[in-house]
Amino acid sequence: MPLNFGKLFRILPLAALFIAAGAVHAAQGGNAGSVRGTVTDPSGAVIPNATVHLTNAISGLDRTVTTDATGQFEIDNVPFNNYAVAVSAQGFAPQSQSFTLRSAVGMNLKLVLQIEAAASTVTVQASGDLVETDPTFHTDVDRDLFIKVPLESQSSTLSSLVTLTTPGVAADSNGLFHGLGDHASNSFSVDGQSITDQQSKVFSNQLPSNSIQSIQVISGAPPAEYGGKTSLVIVATTRSGMGITRPTGSINSSYGSFGSSSAGFDLSYGGKNWGNFLEADALNTGRFLDPPEFTVFHAKGNLQNVFDRVDYSLTSVDSIHVDFNYSRSWFQTPNSYDNLNVQNVISGGTSANPVYGNVGDTDQRSQIRTFNISPTYTRVIGTNSVFNLGAFVRRDNYNYYPSNNPLADLGPPNLQTASIAQNRTLTNSAVHSDFSYSKGIHTIKVGAQYGQTFLDEKDSLGIVEPTYSFSAPCADANGNPMPGYANPSECSIATNPNYLPVLAPYDLTRGGSNYTFYGHTDIKELALYAEDQIKTGNWLFNLGLREDVYNGLTDANQTQPRVGIAYNIKPSATVLRLSYARTLETPFNENLVLSSEGCTNAVLSPLLACAPGSTGTLEPGYRNEFHAGFQQAVSKRIVVSAEYIWKYTHNAFDFSVLGNTPITFPIDWHNSKIPGYAINVQVPEYHNFSAYVEMSSVAARFFPPQVAGAGATPQTGGQPFRIDHDEKFNQTTHLNYKLPEGGFLKGVWGGFNWRYDSGLVAGSVPFATDNVTPVDLSGLTYDQQFQAGIACNGVRATPTSGFSSCLPTQYTSSLVSIPAPGTENDDKNPQRIAPRSLFDATLGKDNIFHADRFKTDFNLTAINFTNKYALYNFLSTFSGTHYVTPRALTANITVNF
């Protein structure tokens, strides 16, 4: 029976009061906990100044503290994971043991050291410690690995890090990544704050990676606490200054290719009961977005970030934690050669003979300002329970500016016919609470969140194509729209049957003005969840239930069971796992109002290229997903994780791009089927060498019809098709080596990446239907043919010369894999970007002056050092055409104190 939405919202305040009333007795909330303990000798006497070393060989976490005068220690802000702790003290034999941290309740350890003369080292560790008895497939990365992985994008380092460390991720342009076959259906959980809106650099400003301590990327079936966009859930724990009694931080600066320069600093400082971490950075570059040409021009941009985290313990059981972030970015929309010296009407737009001339280069720009604040109150209840109560406000303000002369926004006929301006704001606000209880075999968490998302969209559009099919009143003898003339009554040859008089006031080539659209909505969402992790013997069960209620342009609610089972075969260090999740799939918020209402608007419908029958409001869908996999440790040297994925979605969401702009619209297809597999191989550090390999194959099969949304590419015949982020196979191999200590080469290290992509779908590239019929290339400009690497009879197209057609036997491309004549199939054998291998490397030296206090590090990074000439995508309905980064060198120097 469907839930009563109004009733749920009436009971929410009562539920929150009930939970709060139970909090009568401070620990960390969010995605981390504290590891506390006491070090004693066999008689129970405490041991002060003992060294406690906490590590995770897979994620790379490495923390060291010393016990105080009472033998106690505490390590705060430790992400949930498996850990080994090693303890040593003068006169005692060292000891090490393993444990698992899975709850904000934290972990209390009692470590007993034996007298050195009476005992040897006590070790509780085996190859099985490297595997996790967890039904959910995920990848762990700690901060120590961040600087070792060469990252392709300086302006979206967090996205690059996820792409290069997580299996199942298809790499796209502009820092975009597609997790497990979905179009950017990813969410972030930052210190317990849920962020489900797009985080790539054409939507929002990302949290700077320098503010993050660790990430866990969940690509398996999501636990019940995660909702919204859950194809990938990036769980991020930020850095903290808690307990750092001496100011500690760094100052860094870099300079590199394309005139890229950056500067930043971070500072950690605190005491036993408080801490503050502050980070600020700035970037200026000549290649902010990925251009549609391998040659870079009109691609400048800059970015500024400020992040501050404050922790304060009010009492021994009460604490508060506040995250604050402000970011601003400004960037140009990169031009193609088609955007230079644009020819358009300069006078006589309504006459029989309009005068054409050079109206300049296209000069479109964007600015994004992002603000976020999220306070959390935490209360410890006894030794087994923790209560969190938090809130957050996050606001993205996106401004898109057309060229100073809007007529210069004219693009190729198949790309852009209108000049567009946009001022869009997306504000998320929410209150949330959760209660964690850990005792015996149970680790329980229950929680609730109520949030509102305020969307304001102001768009201005004016037609800049004088022969646009729907705004040109007259046609020539062949029926082709003609420039000039004010209305059909003036036509000298023939009228244009497609002419829409409603567009006449907004035709800038004929003296019109812009059409303005304003859209607003307030989306309300309520989430309730409960989950229990039950560990009994070698079994671990994740049992969860989530209820989401969505009230936006449409209403929906969904009860979502989440189940996971794992079994640990300890003698062989093997973990087998199965999981299932049902999820509510909600529409993307970016341009949601315009996409839902634009196709019912007589002016906007033709300008947005609305497909017939897709005029409805985007509605939430639902998904069933199944995962089956294993994790296997080989001695202490290798850990292999693998998973098979199968997802079925009813109402599957996609994006469509508006012309030659970064403005995209959510659209809705009938359903999708996404099968695939993901494999991760980790080699923990051994003799200063470490490595990982991640690989995957995930299909993205979508099924017509398009049921809602603007600006789609209609599919004919009702047959399934591969969407433009479908990729057969990709892999990343990362190697890292640090030279042994000693001599001048002390502190020298190197990192190497090999990224292979088999190629995204490129459905806009023409193909041969048989061995005889010439391939029609008239729909592409010469420059677009050049961008696609098209050649005819061995002659390659250039930005100024190309072909109208080509015989199938002479038709080739150096950048796109085109099916053989007569074999193209949108589902089984579509056109794809040609396979590519990109190689990146970093070489660095730590503490180059061998100082004790102020330590200076230096590293040199080379991205695509073979200068591979390759595409990310071509005329993608999501993001257009973009090339991979040409060879880019960056030198970075960091002073640590």
Side-chain angles (χ1 to χ4, degrees), residues 5 9 450-453 522-526 549-552:
F5 186 85
F9 277 90
Y450 171 70
Q452 291 187 239
T453 300
D522 175 8
I523 300 171
K524 303 176 181 68
E525 294 180 89
L526 171 67
V549 181
Y550 177 90
N551 182 7

Side-chain angles (χ1 to χ4, degrees), residues 11-49:
I11 68 172
L12 176 61
L14 296 176
L17 287 173
F18 175 79
I19 296 174
V24 296
H25 280 290
Q28 263 162 233
N31 316 309
S34 295
V35 178
R36 302 171 292 272
T38 304
V39 181
T40 69
D41 66 14
S43 69
V46 298
I47 302 176
N49 298 317

Side-chain angles (χ1 to χ4, degrees), residues 163-349:
T163 301
L164 294 173
T165 58
T166 307
V169 174
D172 208 335
S173 55
N174 296 330
L176 294 163
F177 59 88
H178 305 291
L180 299 183
D182 277 302
H183 232 327
S185 182
N186 317 302
S187 65
F188 288 77
S189 176
V190 181
D191 293 339
Q193 175 190 349
S194 175
I195 304 173
T196 59
D197 293 314
Q198 303 304 302
Q199 293 294 286
S200 73
K201 56 189 173 184
V202 294
F203 291 108
S204 177
N205 297 311
Q206 287 188 356
L207 192 69
S209 61
N210 193 38
S211 67
I212 296 174
Q213 178 61 50
S214 68
I215 61 171
Q216 181 184 84
V217 184
I218 298 174
S219 45
E225 62 186 289
Y226 301 111
K229 314 298 186 296
T230 57
S231 205
L232 282 183
V233 181
I234 298 96
V235 183
T237 302
T238 62
R239 298 169 69 183
S240 171
M242 194 80 171
I244 300 178
T245 56
R246 187 180 76 174
T248 302
S250 66
I251 301 172
N252 67 83
S253 181
S254 72
Y255 184 79
S257 302
F258 314 114
S260 300
S261 60
S262 69
F265 79 92
D266 62 78
L267 177 66
S268 301
Y269 186 50
K272 183 177 180 181
N273 298 319
W274 69 280
N276 187 76
F277 172 80
L278 176 66
E279 190 271 352
D281 62 79
L283 167 71
N284 187 68
T285 178
R287 195 182 189 279
F288 193 88
L289 298 184
D290 295 312
E293 310 284 355
F294 195 66
T295 302
V296 179
F297 55 92
H298 199 268
K300 294 179 179 178
N302 56 65
L303 171 68
Q304 301 85 38
N305 287 303
V306 177
F307 175 84
D308 191 26
R309 168 172 169 164
V310 178
D311 296 275
Y312 188 75
S313 294
L314 302 169
T315 68
S316 61
V317 295
D318 298 282
S319 64
I320 58 173
H321 158 212
V322 182
D323 285 352
F324 170 82
N325 178 225
Y326 176 77
S327 300
R328 174 197 172 274
S329 62
W330 176 96
F331 50 91
Q332 297 173 319
T333 300
N335 282 343
S336 67
Y337 290 115
D338 282 333
N339 298 122
L340 304 181
N341 301 315
V342 177
Q343 301 294 306
N344 210 332
V345 173
I346 58 175
S347 64

Side-chain angles (χ1 to χ4, degrees), residues 428-670:
N428 286 310
S429 60
V431 293
H432 57 96
S433 67
D434 61 77
F435 175 81
S436 298
Y437 174 82
S438 182
K439 188 174 182 180
I441 65 173
H442 295 280
T443 300
I444 298 172
K445 187 174 184 179
V446 296
Q449 175 169 305
Y450 171 70
Q452 291 187 239
T453 300
F454 303 93
L455 302 180
D456 288 280
E457 301 169 10
K458 184 176 181 180
D459 300 279
S460 179
L461 299 91
I463 298 169
V464 295
E465 170 58 76
T467 59
Y468 181 51
S469 177
F470 297 107
S471 63
C474 303
D476 62 18
N478 296 318
N480 299 313
M482 296 174 59
Y485 303 99
N487 58 70
S489 65
E490 302 174 356
C491 298
S492 59
I493 302 176
T495 60
N496 176 11
N498 297 319
Y499 175 66
L500 298 175
V502 71
L503 296 181
Y506 314 112
D507 189 336
L508 304 187
T509 71
R510 294 174 171 84
S513 59
N514 285 335
Y515 174 83
T516 300
F517 170 84
Y518 178 74
H520 171 80
T521 193
D522 175 8
I523 300 171
K524 303 176 181 68
E525 294 180 89
L526 171 67
L528 304 170
Y529 66 87
E531 58 190 21
D532 187 9
Q533 188 175 87
I534 305 170
K535 190 175 190 321
T536 173
N538 294 339
W539 293 91
L540 190 142
F541 300 91
N542 278 352
L543 305 177
L545 188 67
R546 181 181 180 92
E547 181 72 32
D548 278 310
V549 181
Y550 177 90
N551 182 7
L553 296 175
T554 58
D555 297 344
N557 65 76
Q558 188 74 220
T559 301
Q560 304 154 67
R562 312 281 177 88
V563 180
I565 304 171
Y567 182 73
N568 190 353
I569 307 174
K570 291 187 176 181
S572 63
T574 305
V575 174
L576 305 177
R577 53 196 177 204
L578 292 169
S579 57
Y580 162 78
R582 187 177 176 91
T583 61
L584 176 68
E585 300 295 305
T586 56
F588 300 109
N589 288 324
E590 294 80 9
N591 294 306
L592 175 62
V593 182
L594 180 59
S595 189
S596 293
E597 299 179 358
C599 291
T600 61
N601 182 300
V603 174
L604 292 176
S605 182
L607 297 179
L608 298 177
C610 291
S614 61
T615 57
T617 300
L618 282 90
E619 298 187 7
Y622 61 86
R623 166 178 294 162
N624 291 301
E625 61 178 286
F626 303 85
H627 300 253
F630 69 91
Q631 188 174 52
Q632 177 67 58
V634 182
S635 181
K636 297 180 183 179
R637 303 292 174 250
I638 300 175
V639 180
V640 180
S641 301
E643 184 145 290
Y644 178 78
I645 307 128
W646 190 90
K647 300 190 291 186
Y648 174 84
T649 306
H650 178 75
N651 275 16
F653 296 108
D654 186 12
F655 274 111
S656 184
V657 67
L658 181 58
N660 182 37
T661 74
I663 301 173
T664 59
F665 298 91
I667 62 175
D668 195 356
W669 296 99
H670 181 270

